[in-house]
Amino acid sequence: MNDWTPETWLIAAGRNRTPGEPLNVAPVLASNFYLPDDRLYSRSDGTPTSDALEELLGGMENGKALSFASGMAAAAVILHRLPVGSSIAVPVDPYHGVAGIVNEGEAQGRWSVLRLDQADTPAWLDALQTCDLVWLETPENPLMTVADLPTICAAPRRDGTIVAVDSTFATSLNQQPLDLGADVVMHSATKFIGGHSDLLAGVLITRNDELLEEFRHRRLLYGATIGGMEAFLTIRGARTMALRMERAQQNAMELAMRLTRHPEISRVLYPGLPSHPTHAVAATFMTGFGAMMSFETTGAGERATDVCNRMELVNHATSLGGVETTMERRSVIPGQERIPPTLIRLSVGCEQVEDLWADFVQALTAS
Ligand SMILES: *Cc1c(COP(=O)(O)O)cnc(C)c1O
């Protein structure tokens, strides 16, 4: 990245500034290219559109980016590069797709798995000495536990140990794991980067060229390359990410404070609240606390479902990171039965906060 701030970079990067060229890189819809050229086939080499996306997202973390058809495609590439017999450390409840790959590989005897409380920093420091892959997801789904990235990423580790960070909830605007010493950052660009719930995309960012080429090779083998239209839409969404995050984070903080005081809410988990168990850690390195939070209603799980169904503005839907606010119960997701039944995960969008609050008040009063 040059001297531009990240906010400006998101708007200015990934353009071909040649006279006569369009300001926006076009969605290149082609599987193959005329020879002779370095670019043969889009599954192996991407497209000019994915090149632009990678310049844009890589520059946000002073690294090189590789784009993927989804966040899970990007995650799978990191996990499946591990040889049989490897050892992995993951948070107790990583993203359920990641947990799916990790659990399956464990059941097949492909690797051994250490499941650690993300707040237990000494356990992660030990894992750096024994594991081949240390996988952090911070803030973590859905309790918003923040890992002590500055301590963990800078600590001594066994030769060859890779530290990967799923930074989807924070975005490049709120944390910079590579600066802290991580080897690779993963984002589901489906979420805040895309920002409009209209695409699937993923990205890996690293400063290690050898790793990058390994990831590229695996992307080719799996056919996990992003399509030209998705790459175009991801760029278009990313242009406004800083604006959207600023608004969504303001809304999130305001809603977190108001929900904390509401008598029908028993607990609010937002890393920006001093009451959050990992707020103090988050405050040491995060430049914003993001737009994701969870809260619990009073009553039983059915009450929480009833509240979700009564929302009129807030969308009762899964996924996150869109301009529109969404919420859902998480304990109903297979594999997430450990999550408290009344816990609702909220992805705060960019609506006017008073409209959002009025919706919560009416749904909580009526339920
Ligand atoms: C959504 C998500 C993923 C998976 O990304 P997809 O784009 O849905 O494949 C991985 N990690 C986190 C934290 C996510 O929220």
Side-chain angles (χ1 to χ4, degrees), residues 65-77:
L66 204 59
S67 54
F68 290 84
S70 70
M72 278 311 301
V77 156

Side-chain angles (χ1 to χ4, degrees), residues 73-88 101 110-111 131-135 159-164 183-184 204 206 208 210-219 221-222:
V77 156
I78 299 183
L79 288 158
H80 281 158
R81 68 175 277 285
L82 294 171
V84 171
S86 298
S87 50
I88 311 177
I101 296 180
R110 185 178 174 140
W111 48 53
C131 291
D132 300 293
L133 173 66
V134 170
W135 177 281
D159 243 15
T161 297
I162 298 294
V163 177
D183 298 287
V184 54
L204 296 180
T206 180
N208 178 330
E210 216 172 298
L211 267 184
L212 188 81
E213 289 319 308
E214 265 191 54
F215 295 151
R216 193 189 304 281
H217 181 65
R218 214 155 269 283
R219 183 180 76 168
L221 294 180
Y222 293 174

Side-chain angles (χ1 to χ4, degrees), residues 10-79:
L10 283 168
I11 293 170
R15 299 188 190 276
N16 181 355
R17 291 173 181 269
T18 306
E21 287 290 326
L23 266 71
N24 297 311
V25 171
V28 174
L29 305 179
S31 53
N32 44 1
F33 298 83
Y34 284 111
L35 298 175
D37 194 68
D38 289 341
R39 199 193 303 275
L40 314 178
Y41 191 49
S42 58
R43 174 158 56 77
S44 46
D45 312 311
T47 59
T49 324
S50 65
D51 289 354
L53 173 62
E54 289 165 4
E55 179 191 332
L56 179 66
L57 297 180
M60 287 297 287
E61 308 201 20
N62 268 311
K64 288 185 186 157
L66 204 59
S67 54
F68 290 84
S70 70
M72 278 311 301
V77 156
I78 299 183
L79 288 158

Side-chain angles (χ1 to χ4, degrees), residues 187-351:
H187 295 277
S188 167
T190 308
K191 316 294 168 54
F192 293 100
I193 296 173
H196 295 80
S197 310
D198 56 1
L199 58 87
L200 292 174
V203 65
L204 296 180
I205 309 173
T206 180
R207 294 174 189 167
N208 178 330
D209 288 341
E210 216 172 298
L211 267 184
L212 188 81
E213 289 319 308
E214 265 191 54
F215 295 151
R216 193 189 304 281
H217 181 65
R218 214 155 269 283
R219 183 180 76 168
L220 168 169
L221 294 180
Y222 293 174
T225 317
I226 192 170
M229 186 56 84
E230 279 71 21
F232 175 83
L233 287 172
T234 308
I235 294 172
R236 189 164 77 165
R239 298 284 185 218
T240 56
M241 181 165 76
L243 290 166
R244 288 185 283 102
M245 283 304 286
E246 189 181 320
R247 172 64 167 257
Q249 287 182 160
Q250 275 172 10
N251 283 354
M253 191 60 174
E254 188 60 33
L255 289 177
M257 290 191 303
R258 293 190 192 186
L259 286 168
T260 301
R261 291 193 296 264
H262 196 286
E264 302 297 319
I265 300 296
S266 60
R267 182 162 76 140
V268 179
L269 290 164
Y270 178 60
L273 288 179
S275 61
H276 190 278
T278 56
H279 169 74
V281 163
T284 65
F285 72 97
M286 294 185 76
T287 48
F289 298 109
M292 294 300 301
M293 75 178 77
S294 291
F295 61 90
E296 286 188 64
T297 61
T298 56
E302 296 70 42
R303 169 89 196 283
T305 298
D306 192 36
V307 171
C308 289
N309 286 331
R310 285 179 188 276
M311 300 301 288
E312 291 168 4
L313 170 62
V314 174
N315 304 277
H316 185 193
T318 194
S319 198
L320 57 115
V323 285
E324 69 290 336
T325 301
T326 57
M327 69 188 220
E328 64 168 335
R329 277 178 69 199
R330 288 305 288 182
S331 58
V332 296
I333 309 280
Q336 304 266 301
E337 295 80 7
R338 266 189 303 270
I339 305 300
T342 53
L343 185 134
I344 294 171
R345 191 187 69 185
L346 176 66
S347 168
V348 181
C350 298
E351 300 90 339

